[in-house]
C-alpha cells in the first residue's frame, strides 16, 4: 500500500510551444515522487496544441501504462486564474503543486517539498528556489551559468512577519509555479484564486494566504524557469501592474479604510522605485500608516517601521527620485527615523547579499552536472 500522500499537480495551458510543453510535462511525470495526479487545463488552445496534449496523454497510457494525467478542455478561453480554480476544485490530493507549461521541475522537486511539509506541519504554502534563464535553447547552457546567473526564492532567513509586511507593499520573490499548497489549508480557509484578478493572481493569493497561515521557502534549487521577452510580465507589464496595485490597495485599507484615491496612488508606489506626489504628502502618508498600525496592531510595530523607512531611504537614493528624496530626507521626522533603522537594515541586507552569492556558486555547480532532460 502506497503510504506517500497523493499530490495533485495543476497546470494551465494555452498555445504553449510544443517543445517547451513536452519538457514541462516530462519533468512532472519523471519525478522521483510517483504518487501524483497531473491535472492539465487546456484553456481553449488552437487545434495543434490540443492535438499534442491528447496524443501525449494517449502515449503515456498506451506505451507506458501511466494514467496519471487528467486532461480537461475549456470550451472558451477563460484565462489562467479561472483555469487554476477549475483544477483546484478537481484536485484529490493532500497537497497541490503548481506547474507552468513552459518551465522545468527538477526530478526531486516534489519529493523534497513534500518531505519538508510532512516534517513541518506548520507550513501551509511552500516555495523553493529556482534558476532563471532566457528560455532559449531548451535547456540552460554554460553561458547561462557563467553570465551572472539569476536565482529566485533565495532567503538567508525566511521571516514570516517581515514577509507579511513586505507583501503589504509589493509583490515579492515567491515564485508561483514552484509552490506546493496544503490542500486542507486551502479548503478550510476557502482560499481560491480571485477570478477578478486576471494578472498578478499569485501576488493576491500570497497576501490572503499569509493572513490565514504560514508561508515558507525550501532553500534548494529544484526548478528551472524560462523568462522570454513575450512572457506575461513583459508583454502585459502595465496590466499586471494595475492588478498588483489593486492588491496593494486592499492591504492599505487594513490600516486606512477611508484612504483617498490620492493616498492610494502614493501607497501603490511605496515599495517600487517610482516617486509620485510631493514630499510633504508622502511624509504625511507615512505618519498616518505608522500611527494606524501602532493603534490597531495589524503588523508587528518594530518590523513595520523598519520596512517603511528603509525602503523610502532606498527609493530616495535613486537618481530619478533625488528631487523629492532630498526634500524628504531633510525632514527631521524622516531623518531621525531612518537613522534608527538604517544600520540594522543595512546589515541585514548585507548578510542576505553575502548568503546569496555563496549559495549561487553552490547551486550553479550542482545544476551544471544535473540531468534536465527526462526523455
Amino acid at each position: 500500500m502506497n503510504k506517500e500522500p497523493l499530490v495533485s499537480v495543476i497546470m494551465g495551458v494555452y498555445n504553449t510551444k510544443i517543445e517547451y510543453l513536452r519538457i514541462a510535462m516530462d519533468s512532472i511525470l519523471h519525478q522521483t515522487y510517483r504518487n501524483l495526479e497531473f491535472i492539465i487545463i487546456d484553456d481553449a488552445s488552437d487545434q495543434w496544441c490540443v492535438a499534442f496534449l491528447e496524443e501525449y496523454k494517449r502515449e503515456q497510457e498506451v506505451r507506458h501504462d501511466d494514467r496519471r494525467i487528467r486532461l480537461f478542455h475549456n470550451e472558451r478561453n477563460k484565462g489562467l486564474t479561472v483555469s487554476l480554480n477549475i483544477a483546484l476544485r478537481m484536485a484529490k490530493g493532500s497537497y497541490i503543486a503548481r506547474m507552468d507549461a513552459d518551465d522545468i521541475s527538477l526530478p526531486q522537486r516534489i519529493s523534497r517539498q513534500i518531505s519538508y511539509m510532512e516534517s513541518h506541519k506548520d507550513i501551509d504554502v511552500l516555495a523553493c528556489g529556482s534558476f532563471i534563464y532566457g528560455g532559449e535553447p531548451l535547456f540552460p547552457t554554460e553561458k547561462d551559468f557563467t553570465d551572472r546567473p539569476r536565482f529566485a526564492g533565495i532567503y538567508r532567513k525566511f521571516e514570516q512577519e517581515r514577509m507579511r509586511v513586505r507583501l503589504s507593499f509589493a509583490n515579492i520573490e515567491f515564485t508561483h509555479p514552484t509552490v506546493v499548497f496544503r490542500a486542507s489549508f486551502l479548503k478550510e480557509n476557502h482560499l481560491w484564486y480571485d477570478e477578478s484578478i486576471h494578472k498578478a493572481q499569485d501576488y493576491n493569493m500570497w497576501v490572503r494566504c499569509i493572513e490565514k497561515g504560514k508561508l515558507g521557502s525550501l532553500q534548494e534549487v529544484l526548478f528551472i524557469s524560462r523568462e522570454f521577452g513575450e512572457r506575461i510580465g513583459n508583454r502585459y507589464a502595465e496590466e499586471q501592474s494595475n492588478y498588483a496595485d489593486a492588491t496593494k490597495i486592499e492591504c492599505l485599507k487594513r490600516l486606512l479604510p477611508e484612504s483617498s484615491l490620492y493616498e492610494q496612488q502614493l501607497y501603490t508606489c511605496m515599495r517600487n522605485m517610482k516617486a509620485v506626489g510631493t514630499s510633504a504628502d508622502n511624509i504625511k502618508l507615512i505618519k498616518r500608516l505608522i500611527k494606524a498600525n501602532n493603534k490597531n496592531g495589524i503588523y508587528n510595530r518594530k518590523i513595520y517601521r523598519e520596512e517603511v523607512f528603509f525602503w523610502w531611504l532606498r527609493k530616495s537614493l535613486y537618481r530619478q527620485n533625488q528631487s523629492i528624496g532630498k526634500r524628504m530626507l531633510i525632514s527631521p521626522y524622516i531623518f531621525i527615523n531612518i537613522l534608527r533603522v538604517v544600520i540594522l537594515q543595512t546589515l541585514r541586507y548585507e548578510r542576505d547579499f553575502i548568503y546569496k552569492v555563496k549559495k549561487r556558486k553552490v547551486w550553479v555547480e550542482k545544476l551544471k552536472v544535473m540531468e534536465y532532460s527526462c526523455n
Side-chain angles (χ1 to χ4, degrees):
M1 185 175 180
N2 197 331
K3 295 183 179 180
E4 292 182 332
L6 178 65
V7 177
S8 300
V9 181
I10 64 173
M11 182 176 83
V13 177
Y14 178 67
N15 287 344
T16 304
K17 190 174 179 180
I18 286 176
E19 292 90 337
Y20 301 146
L21 186 52
R22 182 186 296 278
I23 291 170
M25 295 169 73
D26 281 350
S27 78
I28 293 300
L29 294 183
H30 288 78
Q31 288 287 302
T32 58
Y33 193 96
R34 303 299 296 170
N35 190 26
L36 58 84
E37 60 173 359
F38 192 7
I39 302 174
I40 301 171
I41 308 297
D42 163 52
D43 196 18
S45 297
D46 293 340
Q47 187 55 39
W48 57 266
C49 187
V50 172
F52 170 76
L53 290 169
E54 294 285 358
E55 178 58 29
Y56 185 98
K57 179 176 184 292
R58 185 162 45 250
E59 180 180 337
Q60 294 300 315
E61 292 174 348
V62 174
R63 293 184 58 186
H64 305 290
D65 194 27
D66 188 343
R67 302 180 183 279
R68 291 178 295 169
I69 293 177
R70 299 174 63 196
L71 176 62
F72 302 89
H73 301 282
N74 291 340
E75 294 180 358
R76 58 181 176 81
N77 185 265
K78 299 180 179 181
L80 179 61
T81 310
V82 174
S83 294
L84 290 178
N85 277 343
I86 292 172
L88 283 177
R89 291 184 175 95
M90 293 177 173
K92 300 175 181 177
S94 301
Y95 294 96
I96 299 171
R98 274 284 288 115
M99 180 62 188
D100 271 354
D102 53 8
D103 291 331
I104 306 169
S105 286
L106 296 180
Q108 290 190 322
R109 177 209 161 183
I110 302 297
S111 177
R112 294 293 300 124
Q113 287 185 284
I114 299 306
S115 175
Y116 187 88
M117 294 185 80
E118 283 286 282
S119 60
H120 295 77
K121 298 294 187 180
D122 58 328
I123 299 293
D124 299 299
V125 187
L126 181 69
C128 66
S130 60
F131 176 72
I132 303 171
Y133 82 111
E136 293 288 357
L138 294 178
F139 298 104
T141 64
E142 183 68 23
K143 184 176 184 296
D144 296 304
F145 293 129
T146 57
D147 188 15
R148 300 189 68 180
R150 296 171 55 206
F151 292 91
I154 302 172
Y155 303 97
R156 181 182 61 84
K157 183 180 179 182
F158 194 92
E159 299 178 72
Q160 187 74 8
E161 182 62 14
R162 194 171 298 278
M163 184 64 65
R164 183 169 166 256
V165 171
R166 290 178 181 176
L167 279 169
S168 74
F169 295 138
N171 193 0
I172 46 120
E173 251 183 32
F174 202 74
T175 310
H176 193 189
T178 73
V179 158
V180 174
F181 298 97
R182 200 177 294 276
S184 59
F185 166 71
L186 296 180
K187 292 175 183 176
E188 290 166 6
N189 292 286
H190 307 288
L191 286 166
W192 309 92
Y193 290 93
D194 186 337
E195 294 184 5
S196 69
I197 306 288
H198 303 301
K199 303 288 188 295
Q201 59 277 101
D202 54 337
Y203 172 40
N204 181 270
M205 187 66 146
W206 311 149
V207 165
R208 288 181 291 123
C209 282
I210 205 165
E211 293 301 313
K212 300 288 186 179
K214 188 173 181 180
L215 277 58
S217 182
L218 182 59
Q219 290 300 283
E220 297 181 32
V221 176
L222 301 167
F223 197 84
I224 298 176
S225 179
R226 303 182 194 275
E227 187 176 87
F228 335 88
E230 72 269 18
R231 283 202 81 158
I232 187 172
N234 296 312
R235 289 179 63 191
Y236 308 111
E238 183 176 353
E239 185 180 4
Q240 178 143 330
S241 177
N242 290 339
Y243 280 110
D245 286 351
T247 298
K248 293 179 190 179
I249 290 169
E250 290 179 12
C251 295
L252 168 64
K253 288 182 176 179
R254 294 175 188 164
L255 291 170
L256 302 177
E258 304 301 324
S259 56
S260 67
L261 290 175
Y262 180 54
E263 286 177 319
Q264 291 173 16
Q265 182 187 16
L266 296 179
Y267 186 83
T268 56
C269 295
M270 178 73 73
R271 174 76 186 267
N272 65 26
M273 293 304 122
K274 176 184 175 184
V276 298
T278 67
S279 58
D281 288 339
N282 278 286
I283 293 170
K284 181 180 178 181
L285 176 60
I286 290 171
K287 287 181 176 179
R288 288 195 68 199
L289 289 169
I290 291 174
K291 182 179 179 180
N293 188 55
N294 286 342
K295 178 181 178 182
N296 300 313
I298 303 297
Y299 305 100
N300 177 282
R301 293 174 175 84
K302 180 177 180 292
I303 292 175
Y304 193 80
R305 290 179 70 92
E306 286 179 1
E307 291 296 318
V308 167
F309 287 113
F310 182 78
W311 283 102
W312 259 106
L313 173 62
R314 284 195 64 184
K315 185 172 182 171
S316 299
L317 297 177
Y318 275 65
R319 180 174 296 179
Q320 64 267 32
N321 301 327
Q322 283 184 356
S323 178
I324 185 174
K326 287 178 181 177
R327 289 195 294 272
M328 289 191 69
L329 290 173
I330 62 175
S331 160
Y333 173 78
I334 297 293
F335 186 74
I336 291 171
N337 278 285
I338 282 178
L339 281 180
R340 289 174 178 171
V341 303
V342 68
I343 296 176
L344 179 62
Q345 286 287 71
T346 300
L347 288 174
R348 176 180 287 109
Y349 277 84
E350 184 67 22
R351 290 195 298 267
D352 288 345
F353 176 78
I354 293 171
Y355 172 82
K356 290 178 180 181
V357 169
K358 289 180 178 178
K359 278 291 188 179
R360 185 168 59 194
K361 292 179 180 179
V362 173
W363 287 332
V364 163
E365 291 307 310
K366 286 184 178 180
L367 285 166
K368 281 182 179 179
V369 299
M370 188 168 289
E371 289 286 341
Y372 307 123
S373 179
C374 300
N375 295 327

